[in-house]
Amino acid sequence: MPPSHPSDDDRVTEEAADWCLRLQAEEVSDADRAAFERWCRDDPRHLAEFDAMRELWGVSAGLRSRVTATPAPARPVETVRSPMVRAPKQRRWALAACVAAVLAVGWPVGWSFGVLPGTVDVFLGGDRHRVVGLPDGSTVDLNVRTTLVYAQFRDRRSVLMDHGEAYFAVAGDATRPFTVFTAAHRVRVTGTKFNVWANDGELAVTLAEGAVTVSAAAAVGEEPLRLTPGQQGRFARDSRFGSVARVDPVRVLSWREGKLVFDDITLAEAVPLLNPYLAQPLRLADRRVGAMRIGGVYDVADLDRVVASLPRVLPVTIAAKDGALLLSAR
């Protein structure tokens, strides 16, 4: 294979390191695995680099971890600090030896070379909306049942959020780009305010201020979506190409005020937004019921009652089945 440009080598190594982090998560979704397989097939270098990076991870995994707890209204938001690996190919094994040599003293050498992050913070999702601060000065509103992993490197900032919803107010730093990775996509910024909703490979990114780019992880070399304030970029499950629409950010961000605003949307669109708040998740019996429409402003604390009342406002029935509520057309 002909030699590739050094910057392309760096890109492959960075992506391999990101996959090492994502695939070590406690819960790896089917969408994660499918996106990883596509990434491996896209270029023969990808799997080779991943295997090498995984071997390097095995060396650095001996570094001591530090666990702290930050109190929150409902339950603690845990911060877990542990190593992640990133290294350009031409110096990877030299740095691996270096990491092995400094296991007893921690991360300073790895940090100085950009191999290891200064911190990896894991904010565990809870049962209510909360605001957390990141080490770089950014703040994040976490919606219910949303877990976020933040890794701060010398030259970049990375977030992993496979499932859930979060509003980011990113501290500006042009020297350290800020990237949010979901199950199959990435959102890149330097400093801005935006909302990310991810659900089993689906993605919606709504921009309030600044600028972001959004792309599918498997879309190597393809032009990303570029959003301006008031726009929302959406990717369907397993899609490499997204769409952009004009939206009202105030409506999209109403969850931060404890509200959900449905503007005549289908039940297929509404159910994924409702489920994080419900005692039992909703499931749609078929496309017919999924095509029915719903509108209104709802208090998130009252959504179980709203769901129970659906048969009075729509031609549907609700039945408990396999731990969920099955919604069927009458």
Side-chain angles (χ1 to χ4, degrees), residues 9-72:
D9 277 349
D10 287 352
R11 175 191 61 77
V12 172
T13 300
E14 178 179 347
E15 290 175 357
D18 289 323
W19 276 117
C20 280
L21 174 65
R22 292 168 64 177
L23 295 178
Q24 287 197 104
E26 187 172 343
E27 295 182 4
V28 181
S29 69
D30 291 341
D32 277 326
R33 295 187 181 93
F36 174 67
E37 290 172 2
R38 288 195 299 271
W39 179 78
C40 288
R41 290 194 300 266
D42 281 341
D43 190 318
R45 295 174 299 161
H46 289 177
L47 183 57
E49 185 71 2
F50 175 80
D51 287 340
M53 191 64 65
R54 183 173 54 183
E55 188 171 340
L56 176 56
W57 185 297
V59 173
S60 65
L63 291 171
R64 179 173 298 178
S65 298
R66 181 160 60 91
V67 180
T68 62
T70 304

Side-chain angles (χ1 to χ4, degrees), residues 191-225:
T192 192
K193 296 181 180 180
F194 60 99
N195 193 77
V196 176
W197 175 85
N199 179 60
D200 193 24
E202 295 181 84
L203 179 73
V205 178
T206 305
L207 184 61
E209 296 181 15
V212 302
T213 62
V214 190
S215 59
V220 178
E222 294 172 2
E223 189 69 18
L225 297 183

Side-chain angles (χ1 to χ4, degrees), residues 163-196:
H163 186 92
E165 185 167 28
Y167 174 77
F168 296 84
V170 177
D173 186 347
T175 65
R176 288 190 301 170
F178 190 104
T179 304
V180 179
F181 295 90
T182 66
H185 306 91
R186 66 186 65 190
V187 184
R188 292 185 182 273
V189 303
T190 52
T192 192
K193 296 181 180 180
F194 60 99
N195 193 77
V196 176

